[in-house]
Amino acid sequence: MDGGSVAPDRGKGESAGDTIRVTPGDGAEGVAPGARVEVRVPDGRLESVRVRKVEDAEPDDVPGALTGDGLAWRPEPGTRLALAAKYRVDAVAVDRRGRRSARHTTFTTLVPEHRFIGYFAPENRSTVGTGMIVSFRFNRPVRNRAAVERRIRVTAEPAVDIAGHWFGSERLDFRPEHYWAPGTRVTVDLRLRDVEAAPGVYGIQDRTVRFTVGRAQTSLVDAEKHTMEVRRDGRLVATLPVTAGAPKTTTYNGKMVVTELFEVTRMNGATVGFKDATGKSEYDIKDVPHAMRLTASGTFLHGNYWTPADAFGSANVSHGCVGLRDTKGGGADTPAGWFFDRTLVGDVVEVVNSRDRKVAPDNGLGGWNMDWKSWKAGSALR
């Protein structure tokens, strides 16, 4: 079995094989503020649960606790969700045999009728890598793109030219021509309240978000050589042996940006179409360690304990992910553990010499694969 290019349990709703049951279901929209929120396992115990409002100027944890038997987590009595907000649930469970599994889901709450909101990354007050792209996803299609883009101002200290680029009618990204300089302080001013995005649809956001760019780290994966060169501030600090996508399930070429970090996650091939002749998933690994998301379609750089050690540095055997040697449960002194501990959301991982196409600019934060002229041409203010 192999790790593969797979989303961490991204399917809608629940399936019979799910160990951790989350309510509301993954991807649920329009959830009422007083709706039931619960995380539950049929046996064993929940090891950790975090329910957090994300992609907001004021990220906040939902207060809650495990039940006495460890089978469920519920919010504190009287807790109500915020309107027009996005929530993320991160849960880890241990079964009766001591085996860990993880689940990561998101849901969004009710947005008042005839209003629109932009969910965005990165989070307020975060420290990110030099490849971070400011990305907005709107809950309704935007017809008047110029009016919306004009009311989102992204500035930096030290100053640098920053431009927006629309991917369809529901996504707007911002980036400079080159990667941010380490230490840059970025401010995002949203003044969308009462802006008419489409006939009769008005914004409700007026807020400011700030984040800081940390040290410069970029990693170059050579799928032909089976290596990953890690550079800090331009200096080579490590060359790690990897395994990339097998000949029939190759890894994308191009520049990808780390958007999520999971100590442990579940990878189920069925979520991205890897099914056998009977329709069952080709693999379902419930405890993939040190997982770093690179694309929205499911490409990860992650720890791998199930592939023979001699494959790393010599063969490509995955379903499209980039694998680093690891131990079950995730080892701190393994190549995967070493890299995970030194990675930030916003770090760039570039893949070369893979027999695949270049990753699409809108697949995750793939905008660095566009030249500056093409990027600016996607602005509604040009």
Side-chain angles (χ1 to χ4, degrees):
M1 185 184 294
D2 132 30
S5 173
V6 50
D9 202 15
R10 290 287 186 186
K12 303 288 184 183
E14 308 284 355
S15 69
D18 287 331
T19 302
I20 303 172
R21 307 293 177 92
V22 179
T23 304
D26 190 20
E29 299 176 347
V31 175
R36 181 168 69 97
V37 178
E38 183 182 71
V39 181
R40 174 174 289 277
V41 290
D43 53 41
R45 61 180 174 84
L46 286 165
E47 184 176 80
S48 64
V49 175
R50 188 182 193 189
V51 181
R52 188 169 191 249
K53 184 171 67 171
V54 296
E55 299 185 20
D56 187 88
E58 298 179 359
D60 192 24
D61 283 13
V62 175
L66 296 174
T67 55
D69 57 11
L71 292 176
W73 179 97
R74 300 188 185 101
E76 290 181 359
T79 299
R80 291 178 65 81
L81 303 172
L83 283 170
K86 182 174 183 178
Y87 287 86
R88 173 168 150 174
V89 181
D90 296 301
V92 178
V94 180
D95 68 14
R96 286 175 292 186
R97 296 183 181 180
R99 297 173 300 190
R100 300 173 80 207
S101 62
R103 191 147 194 241
H104 311 283
T105 68
T106 62
F107 64 89
T108 54
T109 56
L110 183 68
V111 178
E113 190 177 6
H114 305 309
R115 294 288 186 171
F116 81 96
I117 186 172
Y119 304 106
F120 55 84
E123 291 190 6
N124 190 34
R125 297 189 293 274
S126 59
T127 298
V128 301
T130 56
M132 190 68 213
I133 291 175
V134 179
S135 185
F136 287 85
R137 291 183 180 273
F138 301 102
N139 70 309
R140 292 189 171 94
V142 174
R143 293 191 188 178
N144 193 348
R145 299 183 193 180
V148 170
E149 186 176 344
R150 192 175 292 115
R151 298 293 289 273
I152 300 175
R153 187 166 179 257
V154 184
T155 57
E157 297 179 20
V160 64
D161 188 20
I162 300 165
H165 185 99
W166 287 87
F167 294 105
S169 61
E170 297 179 15
R171 177 174 170 183
L172 172 62
D173 287 6
F174 291 87
R175 51 157 271 212
E177 181 176 3
H178 305 292
Y179 299 150
W180 305 99
T184 298
R185 297 180 299 278
V186 182
T187 300
V188 184
D189 284 309
L190 288 81
R191 298 294 176 257
L192 296 177
R193 185 175 297 279
D194 298 329
V195 173
E196 191 173 20
V201 177
Y202 298 89
I204 58 175
Q205 291 168 299
D206 266 344
R207 57 190 55 173
T208 299
V209 176
R210 294 182 175 88
F211 64 91
T212 302
V213 179
R215 80 293 174 272
Q217 177 173 295
T218 58
S219 301
L220 183 69
V221 174
D222 190 320
E224 197 170 76
K225 294 181 179 178
H226 318 293
T227 60
M228 181 172 72
E229 295 179 344
V230 183
R231 286 179 167 80
R232 279 279 183 98
D233 300 314
R235 182 175 64 88
L236 181 66
V237 295
T239 300
L240 304 175
V242 303
T243 181
K248 292 185 178 180
T249 52
T250 47
T251 305
Y252 289 126
N253 284 296
K255 297 171 182 175
M256 292 168 263
V257 175
V258 175
T259 56
E260 292 181 297
L261 295 157
F262 300 111
E263 292 276 359
V264 58
T265 195
R266 176 186 179 187
M267 292 189 173
N268 185 330
T271 64
V272 287
F274 288 117
K275 300 178 183 179
D276 61 22
T278 66
K280 293 183 178 180
S281 177
E282 292 184 8
Y283 55 84
D284 186 1
I285 307 171
K286 295 180 174 63
D287 62 345
V288 177
H290 295 135
M292 294 153 274
R293 177 182 285 276
L294 299 180
T295 70
S297 62
T299 308
F300 277 76
L301 174 57
H302 62 78
N304 180 322
Y305 64 82
W306 52 89
T307 294
D310 59 4
F312 299 94
S314 64
N316 290 330
V317 299
S318 86
H319 279 74
C321 289
V322 177
L324 289 167
R325 185 176 57 80
D326 211 338
T327 57
K328 189 174 178 65
D333 57 351
T334 62
W338 180 91
F339 186 73
F340 186 88
D341 288 343
R342 289 160 177 79
T343 296
L344 292 173
V345 166
D347 283 347
V348 176
V349 176
E350 183 176 4
V351 177
V352 297
N353 296 327
S354 176
R355 296 182 180 179
D356 205 329
R357 64 189 184 279
K358 183 177 290 186
V359 65
D362 62 346
N363 190 353
L365 300 180
W368 297 111
N369 295 292
M370 297 181 70
D371 62 60
W372 187 231
K373 182 179 179 181
S374 299
W375 180 267
K376 291 194 297 182
S379 168
L381 304 180
R382 65 187 187 278

